[in-house]
Every structure is written in structure tokens, then in C-alpha cells.
Amino acid sequence: MCGLAGLCDFNKKHGMDNLISMTDVLRHRGPNDSGYEFFENENFNLGLGHRRLSIQDLSKHGHQPMFDKTGQYIIIYNGEIYNFKEFYEELLGDGIKFNSNSDTEVILYLYIKYGNDFIKKLIGMFSIVIYDVKDQKIKVFIDRAGVKPFYYYFKNGLFAFASELKSFFCIKEIDKKIDPNALGLYFQYSYIPAPYSIFENVHKLPAGNILEFDLRSMSYTQKQYWSVEEYYNKEKTDKEYEVIKKEVSELLLSAFEYRLVSDVPVGIFLSGGYDSSAVAAILQSNSSVKLKTFSIGFDNKNFDEAPYAKDIANFLNTEHYEYYVTQKDCLDLVDHLCVINDEPMGDVSSIPTYFVSKFAKEHVSVVLSGDGGDEIFGGYPKYFIGNKVYRLSSKVPSFVKKAAKSFLLLLDIKILEKIFLKLTGQKMTNFSGKFRKFINILDAKAESVFKISSQYFLKEDVAKFIKNYSSEYKTSYDKFGCVNGDYFDKSMCVDFQTYLYQILMKVDRASMAVSLESREPFLDQRIIEYLAQVPSSLKLKNGPKGILKDIVYDFIPKNLLDRPKQGFVPPFEDWLNGDLKKFVDDCSNKDFVEGQGIFCHVEVVKLKKEFYEEKKSGYKLWLFLIFQLWYKQWMINER
């Protein structure tokens, strides 16, 4: 795991000092080594920079940028290839003499031998940049799930790229103009999906893509080499459930063991849920050495999963570590969170993710997580709720739905909330917001059910809230109708391309902030491709994550795992009502908001009122606060 940066300036204004600045601002991603190569060509200046976190081959021989023996090809690379040793014999047979034991050198020679098709052979996570000096081309390859980020900019003869947006703040010629439509995506989904970024002319390379920049023509092309959608659209397997369970178990073991490949200590994040427990259980049962597991707890017991994780760790007999975070710890981090996340990202679980990463780094340099399990096995309750709404929406004629919507809009929401409480005995958070979302779903096309249910701000809210907002950018949420299969298949396929990306961004920033490599074993393409072709009727035969649960029960008693899904969410609403209220007031000050020229202040006032007076969910206010803190850090302080 590393950080990379580079530029190609056709105006020849930028030099080595600019490259070093772009690269060294990523020191947290790679504190062990740095490398810079700068080329002054007749038509352009080109620089490649790298910060290294040493995981494979800790010697100087793994230094990057790395050249092949002819000097024609140069590579910089961020990530890990877990199966790289399997290609040694083949490449040695081709006459290759290796100078290192690193995966970087294997990648380079595989590319030279196979061209772009080399990517199909790799199992791992990566952003790979290869410069072909002879053909005058830069090629970028990003992994299938988009675990390793890659940003790029091209305008007015300057092409620049980096692992994080921070690098672009080192180049004053790069525009830092906020894109109001991309900002709309942030408020809708709590992050900005690829290929967009918070800034105009800055893009993220989407998962499973290749970007090729031709230095002669000053142009680039982008091509998708892998898509999860392709596998969901294939014919479903007709294998029996027990056969599927056995084959998935074998794939899990293989994928998990691959992720242990390292020359430094490895641990596991353990929450006590099915995903992380599966990783810990399967690996510990196949190891004679105690694995290190890490969990984090809160002093607020309503949000504390640490006791569950400890029970699992005790049963598996791992070497378990736990750390309790206080409210003060969390509040102290909120402002700094916007330094770590150099693009607005509202996922409140970034806070515990950072703390567990920082804690784990005291003992290991690599951790395995359970991320991706919900998206590929079908673990979110929203899939099941959405399926019922989707089926209802598909069957009911549009005129009936319109009439129902008109009737429901006449009802008093507060009375409805009291009726709901009396009927169910449960108080639903943000009842009015969810009721309004339900009404919008009721009137929408069936294909829009999943998209609308995934939003915090609806499109019409965003249009009123953000000045200069003109249109809703297309995202993978709009591909719902392009996926074959039932609602479950469509939802999981779209979630893999959207919500999962947010999780991966969060984990990458939080772990890399403390120079810790995080690996996601569930995101092995063999598992993803296999499960995409399993009918949802079998995948979810025994409820959410049915197959995975049945596998885990072979290692851990059901009573230790069977509890309501909790999530990694701290009590942020308590903070908004407490110590963070001053931040909210400062960020919503009329003079400040109108000076920004981004938001309609009247709508900001309404947003505060919804939470503080009407006692609605605080998540929308949290998104606003996080953006404002980001704005102060990057758009004011950086000036």
C-alpha cells in the first residue's frame, strides 16, 4: 500500500519541485521510502512520484519508480498483488532476471509480456501507472472493486494524477472550483461516486477501468475491462445448495489465505458480526498460530459492539486487543476528519474506523476487514424491505399510486407517527423523512425504488438547497434496470458499484492516515463472480447472508452471532445536540453561508429546525456540517 502522484505538463512550467510536493503530501500513505523521476521532453515535462509503505520485500530493491532492464517501461503502483509469486517460474523461463522479491517487478514484466491483458491475471487491489517511454503513453489500471483510489485532472495542457486530492492542492494551476452537481451527489448519498469529484475537471477512475493517455496527441481514452454487472447478467447456476456452500467455503479460504501474504505482521478487524467473524474463524481454524484481532468500543453502551467481538475472539482463541473510545476522543477528531478526507465524505463510521486503524497500527502493519460481505452475500435489511415495495410498485397501476400519494399527503405526519408507535411499539427515527421518501417511491417507477431509498436528500431537496445546481449526474444507481434478475440481484449489483465504493473510500483514508494497509478478502473477484451467478433464492435461502451464515456456523455457535445488525455508527446525534452545536451554529451563520454562495440560507435554517426543534434525524445536518468543515479546511485554510 502506497501513495502515487504524477504530472505531464505540455506548457513545461512545472518541475521536480512540484512533483516532490505532490508526492510528499502523501507521506502518510508511504513513510518508508520515496522516489521521484522527472523527464524533460521537447514537448512536455513529465514526473512520476511514489511514497512507499513497505509490505512485500522490505529492502531497497522494492523502490519505485521502477524501470525494466531496457529502460523503456517505468512503473509506480499502489496496492498489493497476492498471487504474484505464482508468475515467477513463468517469467524466469522467459529469461527475466529479477532484482527484487517485490510484486511491483512481477507486475511490470507481466505487462511487458501480455500488454493490457496482464490485468486479468492479477488477484489483488491496485492502482498501477506504467509509462512507456518509446510509445509515449501513460496507462493506468485500477482494481475491479475500486479499493485503491486514483484521481486525475486534465485541462489547459496539464495532466495530473494522484492517490488523493491533497496532491492537487500543491499545484496552483489546478482549478479548485466546486462542482454544484457533484455536491448534489454528496448530499444525496453522503459521498461523491466515481467518476465525479468535488471539483470540476477532476475525476476519479472508476473500478475495473483502464485509462490510456497519449502524450503525442494530448488526449486520453478510458475502457472498462471488468464489470460486476456482466456476471449478474450471466445465466444462473443450477447447482444444489450444499454444493454451492462447499464451493463458496473453498473460495473464502483461498481468498483469505492470499490476504495473509506479507513480510510484516498481519491482523484482523473484528466487530463480532458475521463478516469479520467469518474471516477470523476460517483463518484461525487453519492456523496453529494465534491471529491478532482488533475491536473498538464506545462508552455509550447503545452503540458498543466490543463485547460481542470479545466473545467471538475468546471462542476462537485469538490474540485479541480492544480499545474504548470516549466521546471526547471522537469530538476531537471531527475537525481533523476533514484533513484525512480531502473530499467531503459524510459516513460517520469514518470516526471509529480511524480509531481502530490507529490502535491496530501499534501492533501490525496490515489488517484484514470484512468489508464487502453485505454487498455480495445480501446482508442489508434494505434489500428485503425494498423488494416488497418494488413488487408492490410493479403491480399497482400508476393512477392508483398517484391517488394514494395525493391522499397520504393530506395526512398529518405527527398523528401518523403516533399511530405507528401504538401499532408497533417502536419509535422510528426520522419518521417524517422516511414517510416522505416512501411517498416519493410510491409515485416513482419501479426501477427508481432502490435509488430513492438510498438517498438522504431527495433530488428536489438538493435543487432548493444548493445554488447553481442544474442537473442530477448519472451514476450506477441509474443502471438498476440494466441488471437481469430479481430485485435482490439488481440491488446487490448496484450497491457493489455505489455504496461499497463509499465504504472503500472511508477505509482507505482512515487506514492510510496512520500508514496501515487494509485488505478486503471478500472482494476477491473469484468470490464476487461466483456469487453473482448464484440465484438469490439460494443465496438468501435462510435470510440475509444465508450462505455465509451457514458457513460461519460450522466454526462458531449460532448463539454467539445471532443478534440484530448494528453497524459501526457512533452516537453523532448526541454530539450535534452537545459539543458540536457550536460548530453547527458557526457553519450556518448567515454571513458565512451567503459569503460562500453555495447554499440557500433559508434552507439551511430549515435543516437546523428539522433536527433541533422537530426532532427529525440528524444525518442531513451532519452532512452539512461535514461539508462546511471540509470547506473551511480546504477552500479557506489552503488559500
Side-chain angles (χ1 to χ4, degrees), residues 462-493:
V462 170
K464 289 186 289 185
F465 194 65
I466 300 173
K467 293 181 177 180
N468 301 318
Y469 177 82
S470 60
S471 63
E472 185 180 45
Y473 282 154
K474 292 288 185 182
T475 69
S476 291
Y477 283 108
D478 298 297
K479 293 182 179 180
F480 191 87
C482 301
V483 184
N484 295 340
D486 58 17
Y487 183 86
F488 294 107
D489 284 330
K490 293 173 184 287
S491 300
M492 284 185 273
C493 181

Side-chain angles (χ1 to χ4, degrees), residues 119-130:
I119 207 76
K120 298 175 183 177
K121 298 179 176 293
L122 306 183
I123 296 176
M125 54 182 183
F126 48 83
S127 287
I128 301 167
V129 178
I130 297 176

Side-chain angles (χ1 to χ4, degrees), residues 55 80 82 125 259 261 366-369 517-521:
I55 302 296
E80 296 293 341
Y82 307 117
M125 54 182 183
R259 271 73 183 173
V261 174
V366 176
V367 290
L368 277 58
S369 79
E517 175 169 295
S518 176
R519 299 176 175 179
E520 290 72 30

